[in-house]
Amino acid sequence: MTDDALVSPNSIAAKGAEGPREDQRPIGADSVPAMPQRQFAVGCLPIEFSTPRPATEWPKVVERELYAISAVSNVSVTGQFDWLSPGQPPSALAEELSKRDNEREEFWPEPMFGRVAFDVVVPLRLQSDLTWDGTTAEHESFRVVTMYGYEGPCTFISLLNTDGEITTADSTNSVAVVHSFISKELEKNKSGLRMARVGPSPFHIDATLTAMELDKPFHVEELGRRGYRRLDFRYDRSTFDSIDDAERALQRSIAGELALFYFLIRVRNRRTDRAHSLLDATNELVAAQQRTGIVAWLKRVFFSASKTRRLGLEVLSAKLLATSEADTAARRIEQEQAQTVSLSAFTSELAEASADDTSPVVENAEQVVAFSEKFRSAEFEVSVVATSTILGAVAGAIVALVVPN
């Protein structure tokens, strides 16, 4: 089965649908023997170097260190790896690694194309200690696949069932369990690797893959909500030899959208960083305007122009970058959804990720710049007039003293 065969777009049922239509009933209905179903979750869990090393060493190191974890098997690191930043990592690596995972903007290294896959068993008795709230995935066997595309990575975590039936487990909990377990093992083994994370991980869907009789390779149905969106991806059982084949093809069909989503999240993280910097500079200028006393007045009148000008330039830069980012996001979303292999299942998430929620900060900074410059100019004019008046009075007194009547 090749990617070229996946050319039919999906049709998404209206929200609130209770299940498949009569002509799309899952295999296993009535007396028909049950066919495989699989739950899976989505996140962004790329593996990166934790210390500076050449990017070209990454594939072999990842494979070797994953196999060094006793609970991991079936490791596969494949692809024609092209690197966004070849050679040694940027000097910002240490700063990036110090950030909270959900604030990450880049990884080291970041291949443009490739796939890392492995199976891992995480015993239930360990799982409650791996999550912040003590929840578990209610499941032990997982397949983890991180796909690297043009926009970046995305990760699929599947619950490997022994009986082929949907379990009562919450698949989204598997993201936290796997991330924490692999992270601890890589650190314990002093591997020089870490499993990074970009939020939201888990991606806000409950997903299943179900065998059905269809007239196309895939169809996606949105089911009734119970928290996250519930998406049932149905595949035509006559098109694929197994659920594993169908799952690999499905991942190829939706990885582009998901990688783009996380790319937009990383762009949003950069925009948020700029907004924080802008907010700090704005608050500093406001504080300077509010200080009282002759010293504060003199600083405001004669020395605050450079701060105001610097903040104004930051505002201008933020507005230009936001416009450029919005144009890039719109273009890439349009290009991705035009792909014939894309299921276009995440339109709303892409729109939300690309939205600019920092514009109020930029607008407030712009108003503070205008206010500060206006009143600094007014105070400067007052100081000039006052100084002229004082100097005139002094000069007049001197003249009166020097020049006889």
PDB file of all heavy atoms in Angstrom, residues 6-12 215-220 337 339-344:
ATOM      1  N   LEU A   6      -3.897   6.932  -1.122  1.00  0.00           N
ATOM      2  CA  LEU A   6      -4.731   7.665  -0.184  1.00  0.00           C
ATOM      3  C   LEU A   6      -5.088   9.014  -0.777  1.00  0.00           C
ATOM      4  O   LEU A   6      -4.541  10.046  -0.404  1.00  0.00           O
ATOM      5  CB  LEU A   6      -3.994   7.835   1.147  1.00  0.00           C
ATOM      6  CG  LEU A   6      -3.469   6.535   1.758  1.00  0.00           C
ATOM      7  CD1 LEU A   6      -2.746   6.843   3.041  1.00  0.00           C
ATOM      8  CD2 LEU A   6      -4.602   5.571   2.002  1.00  0.00           C
ATOM      9  N   VAL A   7      -6.009   8.999  -1.707  1.00  0.00           N
ATOM     10  CA  VAL A   7      -6.316  10.235  -2.422  1.00  0.00           C
ATOM     11  C   VAL A   7      -7.705  10.762  -2.121  1.00  0.00           C
ATOM     12  O   VAL A   7      -8.035  11.858  -2.518  1.00  0.00           O
ATOM     13  CB  VAL A   7      -6.181  10.027  -3.947  1.00  0.00           C
ATOM     14  CG1 VAL A   7      -4.754   9.703  -4.311  1.00  0.00           C
ATOM     15  CG2 VAL A   7      -7.104   8.912  -4.443  1.00  0.00           C
ATOM     16  N   SER A   8      -8.541  10.007  -1.411  1.00  0.00           N
ATOM     17  CA  SER A   8      -9.905  10.452  -1.188  1.00  0.00           C
ATOM     18  C   SER A   8      -9.985  11.302   0.065  1.00  0.00           C
ATOM     19  O   SER A   8      -9.532  10.891   1.124  1.00  0.00           O
ATOM     20  CB  SER A   8     -10.841   9.249  -1.033  1.00  0.00           C
ATOM     21  OG  SER A   8     -10.826   8.471  -2.192  1.00  0.00           O
ATOM     22  N   PRO A   9     -10.563  12.490   0.007  1.00  0.00           N
ATOM     23  CA  PRO A   9     -10.733  13.290   1.209  1.00  0.00           C
ATOM     24  C   PRO A   9     -11.801  12.668   2.087  1.00  0.00           C
ATOM     25  O   PRO A   9     -12.639  11.894   1.644  1.00  0.00           O
ATOM     26  CB  PRO A   9     -11.173  14.652   0.672  1.00  0.00           C
ATOM     27  CG  PRO A   9     -11.836  14.334  -0.634  1.00  0.00           C
ATOM     28  CD  PRO A   9     -11.095  13.160  -1.196  1.00  0.00           C
ATOM     29  N   ASN A  10     -11.783  13.045   3.355  1.00  0.00           N
ATOM     30  CA  ASN A  10     -12.775  12.496   4.273  1.00  0.00           C
ATOM     31  C   ASN A  10     -14.062  13.281   4.208  1.00  0.00           C
ATOM     32  O   ASN A  10     -14.154  14.347   3.625  1.00  0.00           O
ATOM     33  CB  ASN A  10     -12.242  12.547   5.710  1.00  0.00           C
ATOM     34  CG  ASN A  10     -12.172  13.989   6.188  1.00  0.00           C
ATOM     35  OD1 ASN A  10     -11.608  14.843   5.522  1.00  0.00           O
ATOM     36  ND2 ASN A  10     -12.757  14.256   7.322  1.00  0.00           N
ATOM     37  N   SER A  11     -15.065  12.740   4.837  1.00  0.00           N
ATOM     38  CA  SER A  11     -16.283  13.502   5.094  1.00  0.00           C
ATOM     39  C   SER A  11     -16.529  13.425   6.577  1.00  0.00           C
ATOM     40  O   SER A  11     -16.572  12.329   7.135  1.00  0.00           O
ATOM     41  CB  SER A  11     -17.475  12.921   4.329  1.00  0.00           C
ATOM     42  OG  SER A  11     -17.693  11.586   4.698  1.00  0.00           O
ATOM     43  N   ILE A  12     -16.618  14.571   7.221  1.00  0.00           N
ATOM     44  CA  ILE A  12     -16.765  14.607   8.669  1.00  0.00           C
ATOM     45  C   ILE A  12     -18.232  14.791   8.997  1.00  0.00           C
ATOM     46  O   ILE A  12     -18.872  15.733   8.540  1.00  0.00           O
ATOM     47  CB  ILE A  12     -15.931  15.741   9.280  1.00  0.00           C
ATOM     48  CG1 ILE A  12     -14.455  15.525   8.926  1.00  0.00           C
ATOM     49  CG2 ILE A  12     -16.112  15.818  10.777  1.00  0.00           C
ATOM     50  CD1 ILE A  12     -13.562  16.589   9.474  1.00  0.00           C
ATOM     51  N   ASP A 215     -16.003   2.584   0.859  1.00  0.00           N
ATOM     52  CA  ASP A 215     -15.687   2.704  -0.564  1.00  0.00           C
ATOM     53  C   ASP A 215     -14.456   3.577  -0.788  1.00  0.00           C
ATOM     54  O   ASP A 215     -14.190   4.046  -1.898  1.00  0.00           O
ATOM     55  CB  ASP A 215     -16.888   3.271  -1.328  1.00  0.00           C
ATOM     56  CG  ASP A 215     -17.322   4.636  -0.807  1.00  0.00           C
ATOM     57  OD1 ASP A 215     -16.695   5.137   0.153  1.00  0.00           O
ATOM     58  OD2 ASP A 215     -18.291   5.195  -1.356  1.00  0.00           O
ATOM     59  N   LYS A 216     -13.698   3.834   0.262  1.00  0.00           N
ATOM     60  CA  LYS A 216     -12.467   4.611   0.205  1.00  0.00           C
ATOM     61  C   LYS A 216     -11.587   4.152   1.351  1.00  0.00           C
ATOM     62  O   LYS A 216     -12.057   3.484   2.288  1.00  0.00           O
ATOM     63  CB  LYS A 216     -12.767   6.098   0.307  1.00  0.00           C
ATOM     64  CG  LYS A 216     -13.602   6.468   1.532  1.00  0.00           C
ATOM     65  CD  LYS A 216     -14.044   7.910   1.442  1.00  0.00           C
ATOM     66  CE  LYS A 216     -15.020   8.253   2.560  1.00  0.00           C
ATOM     67  NZ  LYS A 216     -15.533   9.631   2.436  1.00  0.00           N
ATOM     68  N   PRO A 217     -10.318   4.483   1.316  1.00  0.00           N
ATOM     69  CA  PRO A 217      -9.420   3.969   2.362  1.00  0.00           C
ATOM     70  C   PRO A 217      -9.799   4.393   3.766  1.00  0.00           C
ATOM     71  O   PRO A 217      -9.744   3.591   4.706  1.00  0.00           O
ATOM     72  CB  PRO A 217      -8.053   4.535   1.961  1.00  0.00           C
ATOM     73  CG  PRO A 217      -8.153   4.765   0.491  1.00  0.00           C
ATOM     74  CD  PRO A 217      -9.564   5.188   0.246  1.00  0.00           C
ATOM     75  N   PHE A 218     -10.188   5.681   3.940  1.00  0.00           N
ATOM     76  CA  PHE A 218     -10.459   6.196   5.282  1.00  0.00           C
ATOM     77  C   PHE A 218     -11.699   7.074   5.310  1.00  0.00           C
ATOM     78  O   PHE A 218     -12.063   7.703   4.323  1.00  0.00           O
ATOM     79  CB  PHE A 218      -9.266   7.017   5.808  1.00  0.00           C
ATOM     80  CG  PHE A 218      -8.045   6.209   6.091  1.00  0.00           C
ATOM     81  CD1 PHE A 218      -6.942   6.298   5.243  1.00  0.00           C
ATOM     82  CD2 PHE A 218      -7.979   5.352   7.177  1.00  0.00           C
ATOM     83  CE1 PHE A 218      -5.808   5.554   5.490  1.00  0.00           C
ATOM     84  CE2 PHE A 218      -6.847   4.603   7.436  1.00  0.00           C
ATOM     85  CZ  PHE A 218      -5.760   4.697   6.588  1.00  0.00           C
ATOM     86  N   HIS A 219     -12.304   7.105   6.462  1.00  0.00           N
ATOM     87  CA  HIS A 219     -13.398   8.016   6.761  1.00  0.00           C
ATOM     88  C   HIS A 219     -13.268   8.367   8.236  1.00  0.00           C
ATOM     89  O   HIS A 219     -12.907   7.516   9.055  1.00  0.00           O
ATOM     90  CB  HIS A 219     -14.749   7.342   6.494  1.00  0.00           C
ATOM     91  CG  HIS A 219     -15.925   8.111   7.023  1.00  0.00           C
ATOM     92  ND1 HIS A 219     -16.515   9.127   6.315  1.00  0.00           N
ATOM     93  CD2 HIS A 219     -16.617   8.005   8.194  1.00  0.00           C
ATOM     94  CE1 HIS A 219     -17.526   9.611   7.018  1.00  0.00           C
ATOM     95  NE2 HIS A 219     -17.611   8.951   8.159  1.00  0.00           N
ATOM     96  N   VAL A 220     -13.514   9.633   8.587  1.00  0.00           N
ATOM     97  CA  VAL A 220     -13.429  10.024   9.997  1.00  0.00           C
ATOM     98  C   VAL A 220     -14.787  10.534  10.458  1.00  0.00           C
ATOM     99  O   VAL A 220     -15.439  11.302   9.757  1.00  0.00           O
ATOM    100  CB  VAL A 220     -12.331  11.084  10.245  1.00  0.00           C
ATOM    101  CG1 VAL A 220     -12.551  12.337   9.433  1.00  0.00           C
ATOM    102  CG2 VAL A 220     -12.241  11.425  11.735  1.00  0.00           C
ATOM    103  N   GLN A 337      -4.099  21.513   3.571  1.00  0.00           N
ATOM    104  CA  GLN A 337      -5.442  20.993   3.334  1.00  0.00           C
ATOM    105  C   GLN A 337      -5.706  20.734   1.860  1.00  0.00           C
ATOM    106  O   GLN A 337      -6.677  20.052   1.518  1.00  0.00           O
ATOM    107  CB  GLN A 337      -6.479  21.960   3.918  1.00  0.00           C
ATOM    108  CG  GLN A 337      -6.390  22.023   5.447  1.00  0.00           C
ATOM    109  CD  GLN A 337      -7.362  22.983   6.074  1.00  0.00           C
ATOM    110  OE1 GLN A 337      -7.871  23.889   5.410  1.00  0.00           O
ATOM    111  NE2 GLN A 337      -7.633  22.813   7.351  1.00  0.00           N
ATOM    112  N   GLN A 339      -3.524  19.055   0.098  1.00  0.00           N
ATOM    113  CA  GLN A 339      -2.871  17.785  -0.184  1.00  0.00           C
ATOM    114  C   GLN A 339      -3.919  16.684  -0.363  1.00  0.00           C
ATOM    115  O   GLN A 339      -4.831  16.548   0.453  1.00  0.00           O
ATOM    116  CB  GLN A 339      -1.925  17.401   0.958  1.00  0.00           C
ATOM    117  CG  GLN A 339      -0.761  18.358   1.152  1.00  0.00           C
ATOM    118  CD  GLN A 339       0.221  18.298   0.003  1.00  0.00           C
ATOM    119  OE1 GLN A 339       0.498  17.241  -0.538  1.00  0.00           O
ATOM    120  NE2 GLN A 339       0.741  19.450  -0.371  1.00  0.00           N
ATOM    121  N   THR A 340      -3.768  15.881  -1.385  1.00  0.00           N
ATOM    122  CA  THR A 340      -4.763  14.842  -1.660  1.00  0.00           C
ATOM    123  C   THR A 340      -4.751  13.740  -0.625  1.00  0.00           C
ATOM    124  O   THR A 340      -5.742  13.026  -0.464  1.00  0.00           O
ATOM    125  CB  THR A 340      -4.520  14.229  -3.055  1.00  0.00           C
ATOM    126  OG1 THR A 340      -3.187  13.692  -3.107  1.00  0.00           O
ATOM    127  CG2 THR A 340      -4.709  15.269  -4.133  1.00  0.00           C
ATOM    128  N   VAL A 341      -3.652  13.550   0.107  1.00  0.00           N
ATOM    129  CA  VAL A 341      -3.592  12.485   1.104  1.00  0.00           C
ATOM    130  C   VAL A 341      -4.039  12.973   2.479  1.00  0.00           C
ATOM    131  O   VAL A 341      -4.118  12.189   3.418  1.00  0.00           O
ATOM    132  CB  VAL A 341      -2.172  11.898   1.222  1.00  0.00           C
ATOM    133  CG1 VAL A 341      -1.764  11.245  -0.084  1.00  0.00           C
ATOM    134  CG2 VAL A 341      -1.173  12.966   1.649  1.00  0.00           C
ATOM    135  N   SER A 342      -4.309  14.272   2.617  1.00  0.00           N
ATOM    136  CA  SER A 342      -4.697  14.811   3.921  1.00  0.00           C
ATOM    137  C   SER A 342      -6.176  14.557   4.185  1.00  0.00           C
ATOM    138  O   SER A 342      -7.028  14.747   3.312  1.00  0.00           O
ATOM    139  CB  SER A 342      -4.417  16.312   3.979  1.00  0.00           C
ATOM    140  OG  SER A 342      -4.888  16.850   5.190  1.00  0.00           O
ATOM    141  N   LEU A 343      -6.497  14.140   5.417  1.00  0.00           N
ATOM    142  CA  LEU A 343      -7.893  13.921   5.783  1.00  0.00           C
ATOM    143  C   LEU A 343      -8.582  15.204   6.228  1.00  0.00           C
ATOM    144  O   LEU A 343      -9.791  15.227   6.397  1.00  0.00           O
ATOM    145  CB  LEU A 343      -7.989  12.892   6.912  1.00  0.00           C
ATOM    146  CG  LEU A 343      -7.673  11.448   6.531  1.00  0.00           C
ATOM    147  CD1 LEU A 343      -7.811  10.530   7.740  1.00  0.00           C
ATOM    148  CD2 LEU A 343      -8.580  10.972   5.416  1.00  0.00           C
ATOM    149  N   SER A 344      -7.821  16.267   6.455  1.00  0.00           N
ATOM    150  CA  SER A 344      -8.378  17.550   6.903  1.00  0.00           C
ATOM    151  C   SER A 344      -9.304  17.362   8.103  1.00  0.00           C
ATOM    152  O   SER A 344     -10.432  17.857   8.132  1.00  0.00           O
ATOM    153  CB  SER A 344      -9.129  18.247   5.755  1.00  0.00           C
ATOM    154  OG  SER A 344      -8.263  18.524   4.688  1.00  0.00           O
TER     155      SER A 344
END
